[in-house]
Amino acid sequence: MTNLTEIRELTVPLRGSPANSLVNFSGHTVSLVALIGVHGGKRVAGLAFDSIGRFAQSGILRDRMIPRLLAAPPDTLLDDSGRLDPAAVLACALRDEKPGGHGDRAAAAAALELACWDLNAKLDGEPACVTIARRFGREPVGSVPVYAAGGYYYPGAGLDSLRDEMRCYLDVGYDAVKMKIGGAPMPQDLARVDAVLDVVGDGGRVAVDANGRFDRSAAVEWAAALAGYRLRWYEEPGDPLDFELNRAVADCYDGPLATGENLFSVQDVVNLVRYGGMRAGRDVFQMDAGLSYGLTEYARMLAVLEANGFDRSFAYPHGGHLINLHIAAGLGLGGCESYPGVFQPFGGYSDGCEVRDGRITPTDAPGFGLERKSGLAEAIVELTA
């Protein structure tokens, strides 16, 4: 059986200073966690982090969740095989927390829950996608469709820089990209869209992301401006919990919409399905296990989608990192995001994950393979030594 002996957290700063329409990420941090235990007389460490785009949750982890787990009777955290049960670990981490108010605690709990999957996969000497697929009665897919997320705003960067960035993504094997809008006046942003299309050549391979910037009037105005481009999708036009706004855009925009990365619970997804106007076979769901209590909760979100006539092939997790690559491969999702140029050391994939024709295959590294990720490996050594 696995005896959990220690839980560690390390706050890791993101490198660089990309900005979207609302947020500059130069001061952002991420919580890297390690569940350290003994199994069969050998030390083993399960690793994960709380995704990208928020901040580290050091206080929540150290003051509330880690003490709960370490104080729990060891057998209450294990499954029938004597290994850490991700659902039991999640339930313990959330003990005495009120329902609702999903925010940073959802990401803190996710880091702990996801580390269980990494640890258990390492015990079997297999990639996490194999462990995940077996747990949910599936076969892991061989490769995962990915798109390069970039096109952020940088001081002094013009259209030539944007074109060069997109060419780099195509040159290394990506065939679809995403860029930001909403951080400049509409004429300037539309010129940026035109510049990306100059390089990529097909609107169906370009997604735009407003990061929740627009009110209803602006979101609808942008929908009209984008209609002729026939884009891959128009992402998060307004506040992620303004389901009426999302429905209004869906009512006037024929192209695909994408949203969900800032929904942190099953109930949020239920409300999106009920009230957000999402259209089966067209619109994309971007919930991220690292921001929403982990894979246990994410699987329940997928169940909600499928119970309401949506297909998991329209699920593309936000985050652009190795953990979500394994989740997409293990659960047979439509694909996932990639951050090849931003949010280091977490964004993007390890060197062994070669992009070919817009797809990436997870390596054979045990677990999520975070130890093989350039830049992240050094932080892991610091955390687990």
Side-chain angles (χ1 to χ4, degrees), residues 336-351:
C336 66
E337 191 169 33
S338 174
Y339 288 137
V342 290
F343 302 130
Q344 299 304 315
F346 298 94
Y349 308 119
S350 54
D351 292 341

Side-chain angles (χ1 to χ4, degrees), residues 256-338:
L257 296 176
T259 191
E261 72 176 72
N262 290 303
L263 303 183
F264 298 159
S265 72
V266 167
Q267 189 58 53
D268 287 337
V269 175
V270 169
N271 288 337
L272 174 62
V273 169
R274 285 176 178 170
Y275 309 118
M278 299 292 279
R279 300 157 296 184
R282 186 183 314 181
D283 296 329
V284 172
F285 294 86
Q286 299 173 305
M287 293 78 73
D288 179 356
L291 293 174
S292 53
Y293 297 106
L295 183 53
T296 300
E297 186 85 346
Y298 184 81
R300 294 175 61 211
M301 293 175 177
L302 286 181
V304 169
L305 297 183
E306 292 179 329
N308 285 275
F310 297 93
D311 193 286
R312 67 178 58 206
S313 65
F314 287 82
Y316 282 73
H318 156 271
H321 50 68
L322 280 164
I323 294 176
N324 280 346
L325 177 67
H326 280 270
I327 289 174
L331 296 180
L333 307 181
C336 66
E337 191 169 33
S338 174

Side-chain angles (χ1 to χ4, degrees), residues 116-319:
C116 296
W117 295 95
D118 183 69
L119 190 151
N120 289 336
K122 286 173 176 172
L123 291 178
D124 285 327
E126 65 188 14
C129 59
V130 177
T131 302
I132 291 167
R134 184 170 59 250
R135 168 61 181 81
F136 291 98
R138 305 185 64 88
E139 291 290 331
V141 299
S143 63
V144 177
V146 292
Y147 63 92
Y152 287 82
Y153 298 95
Y154 298 93
L159 297 182
D160 287 342
S161 295
L162 182 61
R163 291 188 186 96
D164 289 344
E165 177 188 354
M166 297 300 164
R167 286 192 190 97
C168 286
Y169 297 149
L170 299 183
D171 288 345
V172 298
Y174 292 96
D175 64 4
V177 302
K178 187 171 77 177
M179 60 172 291
K180 302 301 181 181
I181 61 171
M186 182 184 282
Q188 293 181 29
D189 264 343
L190 289 176
R192 296 175 72 251
V193 174
D194 289 333
V196 172
L197 288 172
D198 286 345
V199 174
V200 179
D202 178 4
R205 296 163 59 197
V206 178
V208 298
D209 183 4
N211 291 106
R213 175 63 184 265
F214 304 137
D215 61 17
R216 178 169 173 167
S217 175
V220 169
E221 182 181 5
W222 263 96
L226 294 172
Y229 287 103
R230 299 187 179 277
L231 296 172
R232 182 178 175 91
W233 64 65
Y234 173 20
E235 181 173 330
E236 270 198 328
D239 187 286
L241 294 179
D242 191 341
F243 302 123
E244 184 178 1
L245 181 153
N246 200 80
R247 177 180 289 275
V249 177
D251 286 345
C252 70
Y253 183 68
D254 288 337
L257 296 176
T259 191
E261 72 176 72
N262 290 303
L263 303 183
F264 298 159
S265 72
V266 167
Q267 189 58 53
D268 287 337
V269 175
V270 169
N271 288 337
L272 174 62
V273 169
R274 285 176 178 170
Y275 309 118
M278 299 292 279
R279 300 157 296 184
R282 186 183 314 181
D283 296 329
V284 172
F285 294 86
Q286 299 173 305
M287 293 78 73
D288 179 356
L291 293 174
S292 53
Y293 297 106
L295 183 53
T296 300
E297 186 85 346
Y298 184 81
R300 294 175 61 211
M301 293 175 177
L302 286 181
V304 169
L305 297 183
E306 292 179 329
N308 285 275
F310 297 93
D311 193 286
R312 67 178 58 206
S313 65
F314 287 82
Y316 282 73
H318 156 271

